[in-house]
Amino acid sequence: MTLVRTHHRRRHHRRHRLAAIAATVVLGVTGGAVSVLPAAAATPPGVQEGPQGTVVPFPADADVAGAGFSGFLSKTRGATPEFRWTRYADGSSLVLPGTYALGGGSDLVVSGDRSTQASARLVEVRDMARPDTAPLVIDLDTLGDGYYVVGLAGDHLLLARDENGNTVQYALTLDADVLAGGTPQPRKTAGGVQVDCWDSTGGWAGPRFALYDCWVADERMPAKIAVDLVTGQSSWYPQGDGEYAGAGAVSATHVAWRQTRVPGGAGIAVARPGSGTAYTWSPGGGHSSDPLYLVGDWLAYGQQAHIDTTARTGQPTVRPFTVQSIATGEKAVLLTAFSSAVSGPDGSLLVRGGTPDRGEGLYRISPRADGGRPDVALVASTGQATTVTATGTHVPATLTGEQVAGGVDLAWNLSRGDVRATLTLTHVASGARTFWSWDPAATAPRTLAWRWDGRDLGTETPGPARGGAYEWSLTAAPDEGIGPELRLSGRFTVNRPPAPHDFDGDGTADLFGREPGGLLRYFRSQPTAVGGPVRSLHWAQVGGGWQVYDRLETAGHVAGTVAPDVLARDTSGVLWLYQGTGNRDKPLSGRTRIGGGWQTYDRIAAGSDATGDGRPDLLATDRAGVLWLYPGTGNASAPFSARKRVGGGWGVYNEVAAVGNLAGGPAGDLLARDRSGVLWLYLGRGDGTFAARTRVGGGWGGFLDVVGVGDANGDGRADLMAAVTPTATTHGVTFYSGTGDWRSPLKPGVKTDVTSWTRYDSIF
């Protein structure tokens, strides 16, 4: 015999041992020397394929499982697949009974009586060229002990069984005599004493060839064994020490397999059976587990799509179905991508795939007599376009905060249903995002619908969604990667009106608290129910150094942006502006100097629109008890215009708070607390002046700060938070819900956990 070797250099003692054992086994199987595998048989007389150019239907959610002269076998995807034989001539089809069926380069189809082919004991063989004839039933137990089915190659049923600890391969020819009821006779093809072979799934390459992976001798050296199932002749391809040979293929003229150890990296080894030589093709051509095929003098390969769900990108990795000349190395992409392929009866390949111009279906790739690039023809179509297109997008351009709170329905209409799709929604300013994905569906076309619940994105403690721009991106790739990926993107805006204490744009009230050492913290709140009290949602540390200020006030959006700003007066009397950013991770920007001389004021109240022009203003009482108004300009470089005298007599108060439209009047109101702890309401007239005071109630002397926070509980009325003067044992915030009634503007207070455990010397 001739022992065909790879290019690898092997250790001397193992080379001779393996050669001797291989010679013994192969002579026992073939009965003579190995010769070049003969060419594939021609199409039998009288058997014709479908009319030239005829394209028949192919099931949309299926792969190709076999192909013969008269038609092809398809297998639907899923836990309980359907096997269907479709004729090329007229597109008629027949669903085969059972849970599995095997095809292999002929019109024969094999099925069994069990859920898997390996467990079947009764095997049914059908000649699909003569579908009206009864199937042949073979009882494997009558052939001998332990036979089980491993595949079908043309009219050869491939069997295997365990013998003395080794797996031995057999073939049973389903010739006219057997099909007519004659006695089937299995014959050994590979394996035996010290040769352990198993079927190489996908290694059958046409109606008469099989390729096996084997372990040989005590050293368990790996080898590929190619077998001509008609003559029984075998060719051996030992692998190197520690080598791993991946997927392979065999044809009338070549044997090829993927190898991990070749010069320059993993690649494809190619040999001519019986020639005594082997050579290695250039590196590349996919992963060692990717299927490999032969079409005449060309290699063919590809990789099904894979979606990386762990990275949550939704981006599939797609490699098109490619052919590569063994002689010249020329490459050509024949299909955009593929999901399955089988050998045809005439040296061709039948490939389930797609192209942008012809769509999805079953393509025949045929070798040419001149050795040129193989021909490609569509023989069966799913009726689907390979390219996924969007036929409609249903995403609003703008949304109000109220619309978002009720949930938002988003949808995209696609031309195909069998796609894997991933949606990414990102809040542009913060970068917070969420993901959603859809598995393939049988419907085509299809609507991808998603309901955003209106909650914030990408946080452990989600509250309402933040205002501002949102960007969405949708990626849709055909299932199994047949066809290019669709990418869509767009933006919409959530509009929230400016709120005096909403620093992150989510429609809820926020507070700042300064600890005695100067550390500033940021507190988010959330209503427990519309019109009810509020609770703590989240807190974050802003930074230190704030002990240099003796007065801190939230001033509303005095700088003209949607986010509120903060005013801070240092001990030398300079007033500073900290603009709000709208970003809860960094709610305040660097400070800007407004001006000096502010030490003349005893109290500063900011954030209400006292003049009715839509801009927040500042009010301050000097040490003589005069109340002054600084109208807001909306200009960050000069946020206030010249002061105006409102009136005197304000020296009796030790706390003044701008509380917005608390009591239903035309403009911003003021609350003032006298030194006996009584709280008084001054209704704003809208022209920078105030109506006569109205008594709210007593007992307010125990509060350090009284803060008008706007509508904190979603009922449309301004509310109040009052911070307890901290002691060693007491601290916290009490929430007062506004009523909108000047005669009784506040509901009873409810203690909250908004400031958590923090002790502070200023709340604003």
Side-chain angles (χ1 to χ4, degrees):
M1 64 162 286
T2 300
L3 180 63
V4 181
R5 303 189 183 281
T6 66
H7 68 285
H8 289 288
R9 299 179 64 184
R10 304 178 183 278
R11 289 200 292 271
H12 185 72
H13 72 283
R14 290 203 173 186
R15 180 178 64 224
H16 284 288
R17 178 71 183 278
L18 181 58
I21 295 173
T24 301
V25 175
V26 173
L27 288 174
V29 174
T30 65
V34 176
S35 62
V36 177
L37 296 179
T43 303
V47 178
Q48 300 293 328
E49 294 191 26
Q52 185 69 25
T54 299
V55 177
V56 300
F58 192 95
D61 187 30
D63 287 304
V64 61
F69 294 105
S70 67
F72 59 86
L73 179 67
S74 60
K75 173 186 177 182
T76 59
R77 300 163 189 151
T80 56
E82 175 193 86
F83 292 87
R84 180 185 295 269
W85 183 270
T86 302
R87 290 175 53 84
Y88 292 124
D90 56 10
S92 61
S93 64
L94 175 66
V95 176
L96 300 175
T99 58
Y100 79 88
L102 301 175
S106 71
D107 287 326
L108 299 182
V109 174
V110 171
S111 59
D113 64 337
R114 304 285 176 85
S115 59
T116 64
Q117 64 190 51
S119 63
R121 308 317 306 150
L122 296 179
V123 176
E124 291 188 346
V125 181
R126 288 177 171 81
D127 184 354
M128 303 311 298
R130 298 181 298 168
D132 295 333
T133 61
L136 169 69
V137 179
I138 300 175
D139 185 350
L140 295 182
D141 290 334
T142 65
L143 303 180
D145 293 335
Y147 284 108
Y148 57 90
V149 176
V150 295
L152 181 68
D155 59 357
H156 306 281
L157 181 64
L158 301 169
L159 305 171
R161 67 176 178 179
D162 295 332
E163 297 179 7
N164 299 318
N166 292 329
T167 301
V168 181
Q169 301 293 329
Y170 288 82
L172 190 159
T173 301
L174 302 169
D175 55 22
D177 180 63
V178 171
L179 293 176
T183 302
Q185 296 291 335
R187 64 188 184 281
K188 187 183 298 184
T189 58
V193 179
Q194 290 191 292
V195 182
D196 186 13
C197 296
W198 62 96
D199 59 292
S200 180
T201 303
W204 325 127
R208 61 181 291 174
F209 308 106
L211 184 64
Y212 298 102
D213 287 318
C214 303
W215 294 108
V216 181
D218 295 335
E219 294 90 341
R220 306 290 289 174
M221 292 290 290
K224 292 278 189 183
I225 299 180
V227 179
D228 182 333
L229 298 170
V230 174
T231 67
Q233 295 172 339
S234 301
S235 295
W236 287 52
Y237 303 94
Q239 308 298 305
D241 292 345
E243 176 60 270
Y244 167 73
V250 60
S251 71
T253 56
H254 296 90
V255 177
W257 63 91
R258 297 188 182 278
Q259 228 167 3
T260 59
R261 296 185 181 181
V262 296
I268 300 172
V270 183
R272 289 187 179 274
S275 64
T277 62
Y279 57 92
T280 300
W281 195 242
S282 59
H287 189 268
S288 62
S289 62
D290 293 340
L292 183 66
Y293 308 94
L294 286 164
V295 182
D297 293 331
W298 292 70
L299 296 166
Y301 48 78
Q303 181 187 42
Q304 292 95 331
H306 162 70
I307 292 183
D308 184 359
T309 56
T310 58
R312 307 189 77 175
T313 64
Q315 300 177 8
T317 300
V318 179
R319 292 180 183 169
F321 197 74
T322 302
V323 293
Q324 183 174 357
S325 171
I326 296 172
T328 67
E330 176 191 351
K331 292 183 180 181
V333 174
L334 300 187
L335 300 176
T336 303
F338 89 110
S339 64
S340 55
V342 297
S343 296
D346 52 0
S348 64
L349 281 178
L350 281 299
V351 184
R352 167 74 163 94
T355 64
D357 57 334
R358 301 298 303 276
E360 287 195 32
L362 187 65
Y363 287 81
R364 179 184 290 112
I365 300 177
S366 304
R368 293 174 54 178
D370 61 3
R373 181 185 303 180
D375 295 323
V376 182
L378 179 66
V379 296
S381 174
T382 65
Q384 293 175 301
T386 297
T387 303
V388 185
T389 59
T391 60
T393 300
H394 306 280
V395 180
T398 59
L399 292 163
T400 66
E402 289 76 14
Q403 288 173 320
V404 173
V408 181
D409 291 311
L410 311 177
W412 298 265
N413 294 338
L414 302 184
S415 60
R416 292 178 49 171
D418 61 333
V419 298
R420 297 183 182 274
T422 299
L423 171 70
T424 303
L425 181 63
T426 305
H427 182 244
V428 175
S430 67
R433 62 183 56 191
T434 192
F435 303 88
W436 191 259
S437 61
W438 294 267
D439 289 329
T443 57
R446 179 186 184 188
T447 297
L448 301 179
W450 180 63
R451 182 172 179 80
W452 180 26
D453 61 6
R455 308 298 287 175
D456 203 7
L457 306 181
T459 60
E460 294 182 359
T461 54
R466 283 171 272 190
Y470 285 80
E471 184 174 76
W472 59 266
S473 61
L474 182 73
T475 300
D479 191 24
E480 303 297 342
I482 303 178
E485 174 182 271
L486 171 69
R487 290 176 176 270
L488 302 173
S489 62
R491 287 195 174 196
F492 62 85
T493 302
V494 174
N495 292 322
R496 292 190 182 276
H501 272 260
D502 182 10
F503 281 89
D504 58 2
D506 66 354
T508 64
D510 309 314
L511 283 179
F512 288 102
R514 182 184 66 182
E515 295 183 2
L519 178 65
L520 189 65
R521 297 184 186 274
Y522 168 64
F523 301 96
R524 295 170 58 207
S525 69
Q526 184 180 34
T528 56
V530 174
V534 298
R535 64 178 179 86
S536 174
L537 184 60
H538 183 67
W539 69 269
Q541 184 171 301
V542 177
W546 290 76
Q547 71 277 6
V548 299
Y549 302 116
D550 62 7
R551 193 66 184 173
L552 294 165
E553 284 287 322
T554 294
H557 55 295
V558 296
T561 64
V562 174
D565 310 309
V566 166
L567 296 174
R569 184 184 68 186
D570 64 26
T571 54
S572 65
V574 176
L575 191 64
W576 301 88
L577 171 67
Y578 286 85
Q579 285 188 251
T581 64
N583 183 352
R584 68 169 60 119
D585 296 323
K586 187 181 178 182
L588 301 174
S589 64
R591 68 180 187 175
T592 302
R593 191 179 190 273
I594 294 176
W598 289 80
Q599 69 274 13
T600 61
Y601 297 110
D602 184 35
R603 298 290 167 187
I604 296 175
S608 281
D609 176 18
T611 59
D613 62 358
R615 293 189 291 265
D617 308 310
L618 184 148
L619 293 140
T621 60
D622 62 23
R623 302 188 187 281
V626 177
L627 179 66
W628 299 89
L629 169 68
Y630 285 83
T633 65
N635 185 347
S637 59
F640 303 109
S641 59
R643 69 178 187 174
K644 299 178 180 180
R645 190 179 190 275
V646 178
W650 290 77
V652 299
Y653 302 117
N654 60 11
E655 176 69 359
V656 177
V659 292
N661 188 353
L662 181 68
D669 307 323
L670 284 179
L671 286 176
R673 182 185 63 193
D674 64 27
R675 302 186 188 281
S676 62
V678 176
L679 192 65
W680 301 87
L681 170 65
Y682 286 84
L683 289 176
R685 293 194 175 101
D687 58 359
T689 65
F690 299 91
R693 70 179 187 176
T694 302
R695 189 178 192 274
V696 176
W700 290 79
F703 293 113
L704 172 69
D705 288 302
V706 176
V707 184
V709 293
D711 181 15
N713 61 7
D715 64 358
R717 295 185 288 268
D719 304 313
L720 191 74
M721 291 191 193
V724 176
T725 301
T727 66
T729 58
T730 62
H731 52 82
V733 168
T734 301
F735 177 74
Y736 291 88
S737 180
T739 66
D741 183 354
W742 64 271
R743 290 164 297 188
S744 180
L746 301 172
K747 295 179 182 179
V750 178
K751 291 184 178 181
T752 76
D753 61 351
V754 170
T755 56
S756 187
W757 43 265
T758 306
R759 296 189 62 197
Y760 43 78
D761 59 19
S762 179
I763 293 288
F764 59 96

